[in-house]
Amino acid sequence: MTRKLAQVMWPALVANKILNKRLGSRNFVADYPSYTDPLLGGIAPDEGLNIEDLLETCSKSFDIFVFGFQEIVPLKASNVLGSEDSKISTKWNSIIREALNKRTHENCCKDIENDGNPGQQCKEAPQDFHCIISKQMVGILISVWVRSDLSPFIRHSCVSCVGCGIMGCLGNKGSVSVRFLVHETSFCFVCTHLASGGKEGDEKHRNSNVAEIFSRTNFPRGSLMELPKKILDHELLSQQVMKTRF
């Protein structure tokens, strides 16, 4: 019975992978609803991984952090054709959350100690950064974090996934793009995993992937048709992992 059920469900899973990557959507993870009108190789991060030095949280101040990952899960058939396994992306987001908010937590605990109020728990310290978008497509993960005081001004968050891998449409290769507005400025970030290889002609496959990503990435235009639809329509865009400061 289980085998027959799997035979029925497998084509449906593949069709869902193909059809649901075509258009922009709000199918992503966030700390709260938005305001609308490393080399991984499929290996999970270590429990004690510390990325504070990478983020420079102690020496610099940023308003937006955008993280892009490739191959957070092994690119085997069950991951490419099946539903997304979110355990690893959840783990990465937990590591990011701890690193971004550690300084705020430590400062708050010091204030509590200085005020002579030992009964108050340090774990109640406010979070300085919140996740506004986290979206995974097979091994690709993009995660966007903003300062708490900036979050009320984030609107029209959206994601668009383009698969360029097996059969030219599955997500072992391709991109996850995110779009949002900060006040009235549109931002777009693109995390990609392109065709591999160093032999002659492989660069053509990568260029073809990029052309497909630009062509097939679409975001909703909004009720008044005023929002940017394509990647290059946005005012600020990036195709690399970066930290942004206003």
Side-chain angles (χ1 to χ4, degrees), residues 110-124:
K110 289 179 181 178
D111 291 341
I112 291 172
E113 293 172 0
N114 292 335
D115 289 342
N117 196 2
Q120 189 173 355
Q121 298 296 315
C122 288
K123 64 183 180 180
E124 296 175 357

Side-chain angles (χ1 to χ4, degrees), residues 136-148:
Q136 177 185 355
M137 181 182 74
V138 188
I140 300 173
L141 170 66
I142 190 167
S143 188
V144 183
W145 298 71
V146 304
R147 279 193 175 279
S148 299

Side-chain angles (χ1 to χ4, degrees), residues 59-70:
S59 58
K60 296 181 181 179
S61 177
F62 298 95
D63 296 312
I64 300 176
F65 286 82
V66 181
F67 302 85
F69 300 84
Q70 297 179 9

Side-chain angles (χ1 to χ4, degrees), residues 126-231:
Q127 292 189 62
D128 199 21
F129 283 89
H130 288 278
C131 178
I132 62 165
I133 300 173
S134 177
K135 180 62 178 177
Q136 177 185 355
M137 181 182 74
V138 188
I140 300 173
L141 170 66
I142 190 167
S143 188
V144 183
W145 298 71
V146 304
R147 279 193 175 279
S148 299
D149 55 0
L150 185 64
S151 60
F153 307 103
I154 305 291
R155 298 181 298 120
H156 301 295
S157 301
C158 185
V159 298
S160 181
C161 300
V162 173
C164 302
I166 300 171
M167 298 187 293
C169 57
L170 294 185
N172 56 307
K173 304 291 182 183
S175 69
V176 179
S177 303
V178 301
R179 186 276 306 282
F180 56 92
L181 268 62
V182 181
H183 296 288
E184 300 304 319
T185 301
S186 61
F187 286 71
C188 181
F189 295 91
V190 184
C191 183
T192 64
H193 189 186
L194 305 179
S196 60
K199 63 181 183 297
E200 185 177 355
D202 286 337
E203 72 278 1
K204 292 182 180 180
H205 294 296
R206 287 188 283 274
N207 289 338
S208 176
N209 287 167
V210 172
E212 282 285 301
I213 290 166
F214 277 117
S215 173
R216 290 164 49 196
T217 298
N218 286 284
F219 299 103
R221 291 298 307 272
S223 58
L224 300 178
M225 304 295 288
E226 80 281 18
L227 300 175
K229 181 180 180 181
K230 309 295 288 185
I231 291 174

Side-chain angles (χ1 to χ4, degrees), residues 15-79:
N16 183 67
K17 287 255 179 199
I18 295 172
L19 296 175
N20 285 348
K21 304 304 182 185
R22 301 294 187 187
L23 299 176
S25 74
R26 296 203 69 257
N27 180 23
F28 55 82
V29 176
D31 280 346
Y32 48 83
S34 66
Y35 295 80
T36 53
D37 190 291
L39 184 64
L40 303 175
I43 300 174
D46 295 333
E47 291 294 338
L49 180 63
N50 188 330
I51 60 173
E52 289 179 60
D53 291 341
L54 175 65
L55 303 183
E56 300 179 337
T57 54
C58 292
S59 58
K60 296 181 181 179
S61 177
F62 298 95
D63 296 312
I64 300 176
F65 286 82
V66 181
F67 302 85
F69 300 84
Q70 297 179 9
E71 296 185 23
I72 65 168
V73 298
L75 299 183
K76 56 186 181 181
S78 59
N79 287 329

